[in-house]
Each structure stands twice: as structure tokens, then as C-alpha cells.
Amino acid sequence: MAQDLKPSDCIASDRIYCALDTVDVGKAVRLARTLRGKVGGIKLGLEFFCANGADGFSRVADAGLPIFLDLKFHDIPNTVAGAIRAVAPLAPKLFTIHTQGGPEMMRRAADAAAEEAAKHGHTKPWVIGVSVLTSLDGSDLHAIGVSDSVDTQVGRLAALAQENGLDGLVCSPREITLARNATDDAFKLIVPGIRPMGSAVGDQKRVMTPADAVQAGADILVIGRPITGAEDPAAAAQTIADSING
Ligand code: C5P
């Protein structure tokens, strides 16, 4: 499995996490079963978890693929640590918190994840930071009192995340290089906004192909509609993995 991914030592399909952006548990379970062996894991987000909670998570996880739980926790350190303890029994492979919660929040999140994994006898999940949401641009940052550019802020938050015990960062394809330059190779870059050659871009503004993203330094590719919207999702995932292998 994709425990410590490096460009040379991991099979391409392990890098692909398929985003199941749905509230329909039955549909999510069917897709997760179909994709077993074709992708490295499944991403479940706020939409799915708010609708279906821990039970829905477990039903998808029962398909046998690792789960990326993308809930983007952001609160005072004590509350974030408590939320992490609450989801720890589900044993997600990775989950997200906002780096803008600050250094202490990040440290407490990393500590809570490690403590709970040890307590439950699980592998420690990757605690992944969210930096500047891609829905925000420079003028949005200025409006909330951040005078630096988006790129400068992403680089700063990436470095801060690694310094404070996080395992990686979610970043857009165009931020891969600057996040990589701000951190070392052990720090994982989780990258959405991926589109195979010739597939519909949809509402994604800045996209990159799977092969280019891996070449640029992405560890995990989060891919939704190009797989879930395909007539044959397993075949679509296989084609994407093959395209990474070149
Ligand atoms: O269907 P698509 O491949 O665009 O799905 C990408 C997934 O990655 C969705 O779950 C989306 O919410 C998520 N995501 C994103 N861009 C970000 C952060 C997360 O597309 N900046």
C-alpha cells in the first residue's frame, strides 16, 4: 500500500484516490467495490459524512480500500483534537485539517492522531493540511487581512505544517512545486484538479494530467468525475494508472 510513496517505488494505481462526492451510500459502496484493486483509496468528504456519518463511512470502508476522510477540521486546538479522537476508531488512512488553525492546533492534531492510533492498534493516519482554499484568490486574502500573495501564503503554510508535525498538504497542481520547495521529500502532496488527457474539465479552473502531476512531485492524486462519471469506472481508473506509468 501507499504508505511512504516515492516516485520510484510505488505502483501507479496506489497514487489514485477516487473522490466519491455523493450522499448516496449505496452508490458509494458500489463504486468502492468496483474500484478495488484499481485505485489506492477512496476520498469521502463533508457532503457524504454529514449525510451518512460513521455508519456510511464504515460501509464504504468495508469494500476494502483505504479511506481519505476530507473533513477539513478547523477550530480551537482542544476541539480539533477531540474531533480527531472521535473519528480515530474509523481508522481513515488520511484526514485533513486547516493549517490556518495555527501551529498549536496542528501539533495537537498530530499528537491526537498518533495517540489514538496507538490506543486502537492502528497505523497512524496521515494528518494532511489544507492551506489556502483554491476558491480564494489574492483579493479574498487581502479582504481578510493577508497582504501576501496566495503563493507566498501557501509556501508559508506548507513549511509551518511540516514544522508542526503534519504529514502533508493538499495543494492544487500549480502549487506542487512551491509546496515541494518549502518542505522535504517525506512531506506528502495530495493533489486534486487532475484531468486525464481529453477528459472534461468541468468546474476545475487549473488542471494537470496525472502523469504531469506525478512528475511535478504529487504523491496522491485525488480524482473524482473522470472516474465516477465514466461508463466503466474501473476501466477509467486503469487507463489513468497506465498513463502515469507512461
Ligand atoms: O471530480 P473532481 O476530480 O473535480 O473532484 C476533485 C475532488 O477534490 C473533489 O472532492 C473536490 O472537492 C476536491 N478538491 C478540489 N480542489 C481543491 C480541494 C479539493 O477539487 N482545491
Side-chain angles (χ1 to χ4, degrees):
M1 237 317 294
Q3 185 64 32
D4 281 297
L5 298 170
K6 297 194 184 63
S8 53
D9 65 4
C10 127
I11 59 171
S13 60
D14 277 352
R15 295 185 182 281
I16 303 170
Y17 270 58
C18 182
L20 302 186
D21 291 310
T22 177
V23 294
D24 182 337
V25 186
K27 186 174 166 192
V29 169
R30 278 193 300 282
L31 271 164
R33 287 187 183 143
T34 301
L35 292 172
R36 201 167 26 200
K38 301 290 179 190
V39 299
I42 296 294
K43 183 179 88 97
L44 297 175
L46 268 176
E47 187 183 358
F48 181 89
F49 202 77
C50 287
N52 303 299
D55 182 58
F57 178 107
S58 299
R59 288 178 58 192
V60 175
D62 284 347
L65 283 166
I67 308 287
F68 169 11
L69 185 59
D70 186 20
L71 301 181
K72 299 184 177 66
F73 294 135
H74 190 179
D75 210 312
I76 60 170
N78 193 52
T79 301
V80 166
I84 289 166
R85 282 194 289 272
V87 297
L90 300 173
K93 163 87 183 167
L94 54 159
F95 67 84
T96 44
I97 68 170
H98 270 282
T99 54
Q100 291 183 67
E104 190 194 339
M105 192 197 90
M106 290 193 264
R107 281 195 303 275
R108 290 281 301 278
D111 289 349
E115 284 160 21
E116 290 300 307
K119 191 165 109 191
H120 293 283
H122 298 152
T123 305
K124 190 190 92 63
W126 297 351
V127 185
I128 301 298
V130 173
S131 56
V132 179
L133 292 170
T134 47
S135 50
L136 303 177
D137 61 16
S139 64
D140 294 312
L141 288 190
H142 289 167
I144 57 171
V146 178
S147 50
D148 283 320
S149 68
V150 171
D151 284 0
T152 302
Q153 183 69 349
V154 170
R156 172 188 290 132
L157 290 169
L160 205 60
Q162 185 160 43
E163 276 164 37
N164 286 284
L166 268 52
D167 301 291
L169 195 80
V170 179
C171 65
S172 77
R174 61 172 287 280
E175 293 161 353
I176 295 173
T177 303
L178 73 95
R180 192 45 89 206
N181 288 342
T183 58
D184 68 36
D185 282 352
F187 195 69
K188 277 100 182 160
L189 299 181
I190 316 296
V191 182
I194 300 298
R195 287 293 177 268
M197 205 72 86
S199 93
V201 170
D203 53 2
Q204 293 285 8
K205 292 204 172 64
R206 289 182 289 267
V207 298
M208 203 179 260
T209 66
D212 286 349
V214 169
Q215 189 62 38
D219 293 290
I220 296 280
L221 309 178
V222 177
I223 307 176
R225 290 161 289 180
I227 296 175
T228 59
E231 211 165 293
D232 182 344
Q238 184 66 56
T239 304
I240 292 169
D242 292 345
S243 77
I244 297 170
N245 284 327

